[in-house]
């Protein structure tokens, strides 16, 4: 089948009950862009669609969960669309929520709740720091932002675009994501590691932080730099121990107190991001 229009960004795709679902943005972003969701049958012919959502915005994330889809678009504020896909031939928008910022990764908390990881922004669409939000979609016509955690300005996480960097366990009320923070007014405050959160239907609170880079060094320009071999990339837990993994280290921390128990140096010293001077790595 052929999806109409010029594709502006990558597709978000899913297969369910013999149907192929796809969400995409078409047009010229910030001018004529439109957002669509199509349902294709086994012959890849379009059997149903929801088209022309949020003109001038583009899709930042889509999550297909059975008979529903959740779609986030962004330009200035963040519409979270709840789309009913129970009738493949007649999908429809049930409701939407507009809040500042956007979610670039959506993860199910339970059948009526979604966790979003993204960026906060002001009313004009200027992004600030990261944001984690919990959305209640039990009333599909009126989704609600239940709670949120806002990071400081100049923050980033691989979990914005890599679901493997997102560790969540509902029964333990646990959420762990890697985080980098940048202080452009004082580079000595730069930090990288992982944030460990308590998360439930009522709150998102920071339990503690874990880092593999205790000491920062300055480059030839006097700026404090990250050691990317010590950037935490994955986390996991076994029993009551939380493990964080970077290229050069593994750390074990208590899952409840986040106190460090032990660490293992993997002996990896190569920096993937060397500095160049005159075309020569230094």
């Amino acid at each position: 089948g052929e999806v109409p229009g010029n594709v502006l960004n990558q597709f978000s795709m899913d297969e369910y009950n013999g149907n192929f679902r796809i969400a995409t943005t078409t047009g010229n972003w910030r001018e004529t862009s439109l957002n669509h969701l199509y349902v294709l049958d086994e012959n890849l012919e379009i059997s149903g669609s929801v088209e022309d959502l949020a003109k001038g915005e583009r899709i930042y994330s889509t999550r297909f969960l059975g008979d529903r889809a959740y779609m986030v678009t962004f330009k200035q504020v963040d519409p979270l669309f709840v789309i009913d896909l129970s009738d493949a031939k007649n999908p429809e928008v049930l409701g939407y929520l507009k809040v500042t910022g956007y979610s670039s990764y959506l993860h199910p908390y339970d059948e009526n709740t979604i966790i979003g990881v993204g960026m906060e922004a002001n009313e004009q669409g200027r992004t600030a720091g990261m944001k984690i939000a919990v959305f209640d979609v039990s009333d599909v016509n009126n989704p609600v932002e239940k709670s949120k955690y806002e990071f400081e300005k100049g923050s980033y996480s691989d979990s914005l675009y890599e679901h493997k960097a997102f560790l969540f366990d509902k029964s333990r009320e646990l959420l762990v994501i890697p985080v980098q923070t940048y202080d452009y007014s004082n580079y000595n405050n730069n930090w990288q590691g992982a944030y460990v959160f308590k998360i439930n239907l009522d709150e998102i609170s920071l339990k503690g932080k874990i880092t593999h880079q205790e000491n920062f060094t300055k480059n030839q320009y006097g700026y404090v730099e990250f050691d990317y071999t010590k950037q935490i990339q994955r986390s996991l837990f076994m029993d009551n121990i939380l493990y964080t993994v970077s290229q050069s280290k593994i750390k074990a921390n208590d899952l409840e107190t986040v106190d460090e128990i032990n660490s293992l140096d993997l002996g990896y010293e190569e920096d993937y991001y060397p500095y160049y001077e005159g075309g020569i790595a230094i």
Side-chain angles (χ1 to χ4, degrees), residues 35 42 60 78 93 96 99 126 172 183 205 248 276:
N35 305 283
E42 293 180 348
Y60 271 69
D78 169 1
V93 175
Y96 66 90
V99 292
R126 184 180 296 275
R172 293 176 180 262
D183 186 343
S205 58
S248 61
Y276 288 85

Side-chain angles (χ1 to χ4, degrees), residues 3-272:
V3 176
N6 296 317
V7 175
L8 182 64
N9 71 331
Q10 71 272 18
F11 290 115
S12 297
M13 300 176 289
D14 173 77
E15 186 277 330
Y16 181 73
N17 282 350
N19 292 307
F20 181 62
R21 289 98 67 94
I22 182 168
T24 189
T25 301
T26 59
N28 181 7
W29 185 36
R30 294 187 178 274
E31 295 181 11
T32 62
S33 62
L34 292 167
N35 305 283
H36 324 278
L37 187 149
Y38 298 96
V39 181
L40 285 69
D41 61 21
E42 293 180 348
N43 297 315
L44 293 184
E45 297 294 334
I46 295 175
S47 60
S49 64
V50 175
E51 297 182 289
D52 301 343
L53 299 176
K55 181 178 180 181
E57 303 183 10
R58 71 175 177 91
I59 295 172
Y60 271 69
S61 59
T62 305
R63 187 78 189 217
F64 295 96
L65 294 173
D67 288 332
R68 284 190 195 171
Y70 302 93
M71 178 193 294
V72 171
T73 64
F74 177 71
K75 178 180 178 181
Q76 293 181 324
V77 292
D78 169 1
L80 169 68
F81 292 96
V82 182
I83 302 173
D84 180 20
L85 297 172
S86 58
D87 183 350
K89 294 183 178 180
N90 295 289
E92 63 173 327
V93 175
L94 299 177
Y96 66 90
L97 167 70
K98 284 199 171 188
V99 292
T100 54
Y102 63 85
S103 298
S104 57
Y105 177 64
L106 298 172
H107 189 92
Y109 178 91
D110 59 28
E111 62 181 6
N112 291 312
T113 315
I114 299 291
I115 302 170
V117 180
M119 304 296 292
E120 183 58 285
N122 60 22
E123 294 290 343
Q124 290 70 46
R126 184 180 296 275
T127 56
M130 285 175 51
K131 177 177 74 171
I132 301 172
V134 172
F135 301 104
D136 182 351
V137 293
S138 54
D139 181 354
V140 293
N141 297 300
N142 296 288
V144 176
E145 185 180 71
K146 290 271 293 182
S147 59
K148 66 179 179 179
Y149 181 92
E150 295 184 29
F151 293 72
E152 54 264 48
K153 293 182 179 180
S155 48
Y156 174 80
S157 172
D158 285 350
S159 65
L160 291 167
Y161 303 103
E162 172 56 82
H163 69 277
K164 294 178 182 178
F166 184 95
L167 175 63
F168 168 68
D169 187 270
K170 179 184 175 183
S171 63
R172 293 176 180 262
E173 299 187 339
L174 175 70
L175 173 62
V176 183
I177 61 172
V179 174
Q180 290 178 315
T181 59
Y182 308 81
D183 186 343
Y184 296 105
S185 62
N186 185 352
Y187 287 93
N188 291 296
N189 293 331
N190 288 1
W191 185 90
Q192 68 175 358
Y195 278 39
V196 182
F197 293 97
K198 176 182 180 180
I199 186 168
N200 53 45
L201 294 177
D202 300 313
E203 69 169 314
I204 309 171
S205 58
L206 182 63
K207 293 177 62 174
K209 301 179 182 181
I210 300 170
T211 185
H212 289 192
Q213 183 179 356
E214 287 80 8
N215 300 309
F216 286 84
T217 58
K218 293 184 178 181
N219 66 10
Q220 59 185 2
Y221 304 107
Y223 297 152
V224 175
E225 296 293 341
F226 297 110
D227 179 350
Y228 288 97
T229 69
K230 293 183 173 63
Q231 179 181 346
I232 294 176
Q233 298 175 319
R234 300 289 186 268
S235 58
L236 68 151
F237 67 86
M238 289 182 280
D239 297 324
N240 291 315
I241 308 299
L242 174 65
Y243 298 92
T244 51
V245 183
S246 65
Q247 292 175 358
S248 61
K249 187 175 290 188
I250 298 174
K251 269 195 178 183
N253 291 66
D254 186 281
L255 199 58
E256 294 302 319
T257 64
V258 197
D259 292 335
E260 183 175 336
I261 299 172
N262 207 342
S263 66
L264 174 65
D265 190 341
L266 301 177
Y268 187 89
E269 298 180 355
E270 180 181 353
D271 192 336
Y272 273 139

